[in-house]
């Protein structure tokens, strides 16, 4: 049934910190869809490449300087955000990730319908007293969220199991399947790694270089992989606080590519993509790799199983923090090209049917529709596209 277009005066304010990685891509995809639907989209974030990309899309970007983690600057960040909200008069606030969720809910305190999307819970990222404090905050601040949006059923279950009470929606992450699509590996390898033997088995890991993403576990496993698959090479794509420590521990068969504005060529260049995370909500990297037709080895953490079709789980899912299991899965797939091709094709079909970004945008529109009943919600999925993403 046709849904009316929203009033162009409908204002949505997205708050985000961090400004890179998967959270930034989610914000960008939502802003693009919502702008196309006719909403007035404002994004408050620190000055960054994300800010420039959002301006290019037509979003109203407001500079909100904020650190990635809570600290002494928090009171000033909350005051600046409160002033910005008063200036922009949004009908709805959508806060992404723990830091924006902290500052945003303190600034709004329920005066405006607020969506909080954790993109992995803050109390999973820390330990000891800090974790206890983060959990107490999430329990308390849930009263200031009109809707808690999780990217996986596992993320929601972690929240409810931890005693966080509130109205929930689960909206799985999605990827642009037109942009992330299969292509031959040879051309990508020649462009990215001209000095590398094109026949060398290539593993790619895309993600921020930090404890969460588990690249240290992959490096611990890598010597065993190379013993089983001589000549194999590993590329770490990304930057982050653990860069120098990881470099110091890496052998010569590991390359550090740094941050990439476009990760599509790296997925296409890979024989296999690995994400050895210690925790996730639902990482985009496995979905992006599968959309490019590349098999993925990832860890059995919240949301990871939901990023893989059941057929891939026995060969592609390993325990978190287990270098031996990780090495076995990686080496086994590197040695079996027909199996990799089959798993990659199955993964592509799964993403097309379940994790197309248009499906995600439509689900978020449904959340907004419920919270803003007096305003028609955005029709972010073209009528002609519905059949292709709703099997």
């Amino acid at each position: 049934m046709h849904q009316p277009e929203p009033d162009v005066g409908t204002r949505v304010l997205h708050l985000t910190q961090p400004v890179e990685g998967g959270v930034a891509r989610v914000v960008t995809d939502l802003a693009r869809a919502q702008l196309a639907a006719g909403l007035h989209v404002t994004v408050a974030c620190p000055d960054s490449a994300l800010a420039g990309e959002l301006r290019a899309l037509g979003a109203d970007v407001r500079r909100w300087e904020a650190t990635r983690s809570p600290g002494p600057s928090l009171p000033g960040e909350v005051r600046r955000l409160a002033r910005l909200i008063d200036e922009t008069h949004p009908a709805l606030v959508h806060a992404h990730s723990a830091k924006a969720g902290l500052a945003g809910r303190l600034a709004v305190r329920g005066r405006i319908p607020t969506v909080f999307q954790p993109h992995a819970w803050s109390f999973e990222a820390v330990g000891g007293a800090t974790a206890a404090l983060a959990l107490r905050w999430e329990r308390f601040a849930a009263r200031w969220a009109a809707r808690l949006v999780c990217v996986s059923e596992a993320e929601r279950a972690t929240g409810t199991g931890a005693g966080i009470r509130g109205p929930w929606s689960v909206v799985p992450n999605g990827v642009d399947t037109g942009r992330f699509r299969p292509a031959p590996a040879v051309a990508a390898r020649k462009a990215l790694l001209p000095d590398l033997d094109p026949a060398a088995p290539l593993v790619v890991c895309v993600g921020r270089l930090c404890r969460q993403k588990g690249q240290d576990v992959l490096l611990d496993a890598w010597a065993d992989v190379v013993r089983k698959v001589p000549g194999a090479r590993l590329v770490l794509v990304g930057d982050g606080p653990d860069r120098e420590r990881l470099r110091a521990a890496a052998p010569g068969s590991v390359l550090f590519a740094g941050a990439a504005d476009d990760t599509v060529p790296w997925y296409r260049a890979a024989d296999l993509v690995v994400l050895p995370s210690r925790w996730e909500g639902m990482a985009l990297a496995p979905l992006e790799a599968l959309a490019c037709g590349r098999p993925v080895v990832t860890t059995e953490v919240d949301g990871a199983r939901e990023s893989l079709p059941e057929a891939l789980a026995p060969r592609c899912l390993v325990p978190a923090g287990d270098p031996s299991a990780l090495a076995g899965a990686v080496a086994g797939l590197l040695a079996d090209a027909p199996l990799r091709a089959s798993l990659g094709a199955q993964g592509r079909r799964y993403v097309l049917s379940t994790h197309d970004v248009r499906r995600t945008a439509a689900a978020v529109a449904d959340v907004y529709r419920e919270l803003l009943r007096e305003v028609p919600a955005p029709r972010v999925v073209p009528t002609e596209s519905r059949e292709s993403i709703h099997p």
Side-chain angles (χ1 to χ4, degrees), residues 11 32 47-48 131 138 143 145 169 218 226 239 247 271 278 284 324 335 377:
R11 293 176 176 268
R32 181 183 292 110
D47 192 27
S48 58
E138 293 296 354
R143 71 193 65 194
S169 291
L218 180 53
V226 173
D239 202 352
R247 279 184 180 275
D271 290 307
R278 288 182 167 90
L284 283 173
S324 177

Side-chain angles (χ1 to χ4, degrees), residues 25 65 73 75 94 119 146 164 169 227 254-256 280 282 284 314 318 328 336 343 347-348 353-354 380:
R25 293 198 293 280
E65 288 306 320
S73 61
H94 191 155
H119 299 279
I164 299 169
S169 291
R227 279 194 295 271
V254 178
L255 306 175
F256 287 76
E280 289 287 353
M282 177 177 279
L284 283 173
V318 300
D336 194 335
L343 295 176
R348 168 74 179 175
S353 67
T354 310
V380 296

Side-chain angles (χ1 to χ4, degrees), residues 143-161:
R143 71 193 65 194
W144 290 331
R147 190 66 54 88
L148 297 159
V149 172
C150 289
V151 294
S152 67
E153 288 290 349
E155 185 180 58
R156 182 198 59 78
T158 295
T160 57

Side-chain angles (χ1 to χ4, degrees), residues 150-385:
C150 289
V151 294
S152 67
E153 288 290 349
E155 185 180 58
R156 182 198 59 78
T158 295
T160 57
I164 299 169
R165 302 288 180 258
W168 299 89
S169 291
V170 175
V171 180
N173 279 339
V175 298
D176 183 344
T177 55
R179 178 183 169 213
F180 291 92
R181 63 184 188 277
V186 175
R189 290 194 188 189
K190 285 182 177 179
L192 295 169
L193 303 164
D195 298 328
L196 181 69
D197 177 359
L202 184 63
V203 174
V204 171
C205 176
V206 176
R208 190 166 184 259
L209 303 183
C210 62
R211 183 176 181 275
Q212 177 193 357
K213 298 299 183 180
Q215 291 96 345
D216 58 322
V217 180
L218 180 53
L219 291 182
D220 287 344
W222 189 246
D224 194 18
V225 173
V226 173
R227 279 194 295 271
K228 295 174 179 177
V229 187
R233 304 298 293 270
L234 169 64
V235 179
L236 301 183
V237 181
D239 202 352
D242 289 356
R243 177 185 55 198
E244 295 308 318
R245 183 172 64 83
L246 293 170
R247 279 184 180 275
S253 58
V254 178
L255 306 175
F256 287 76
D261 292 333
D262 184 6
T263 55
V264 172
W266 286 110
Y267 293 126
R268 290 174 174 169
D271 290 307
L272 179 66
V273 175
V274 178
L275 187 73
S277 299
R278 288 182 167 90
W279 69 88
E280 289 287 353
M282 177 177 279
L284 283 173
L287 300 175
E288 292 169 348
L290 292 175
C292 290
R294 299 301 185 261
V296 176
V297 172
T298 189
T299 44
E300 179 99 48
V301 296
D302 272 8
R305 176 174 285 278
E306 291 169 63
S307 72
L308 295 178
E310 281 298 318
L312 270 66
R315 299 301 299 264
C316 300
L317 205 61
V318 300
D322 188 336
S324 177
L326 183 59
V330 170
L333 286 173
L334 286 180
D336 194 335
L339 178 59
R340 291 199 309 273
S342 174
L343 295 176
Q346 291 177 65
R348 168 74 179 175
R349 291 194 294 270
Y350 170 73
V351 172
L352 285 171
S353 67
T354 310
H355 291 285
D356 190 296
V357 71
R358 293 170 296 178
R359 178 188 290 270
T360 300
V364 171
D366 287 342
V367 171
Y368 289 4
R369 180 180 295 113
E370 292 175 21
L371 299 181
L372 300 173
R373 294 183 183 278
E374 72 281 8
V375 179
R379 183 174 59 86
V380 296
V381 183
T383 302
E384 64 270 20
S385 300

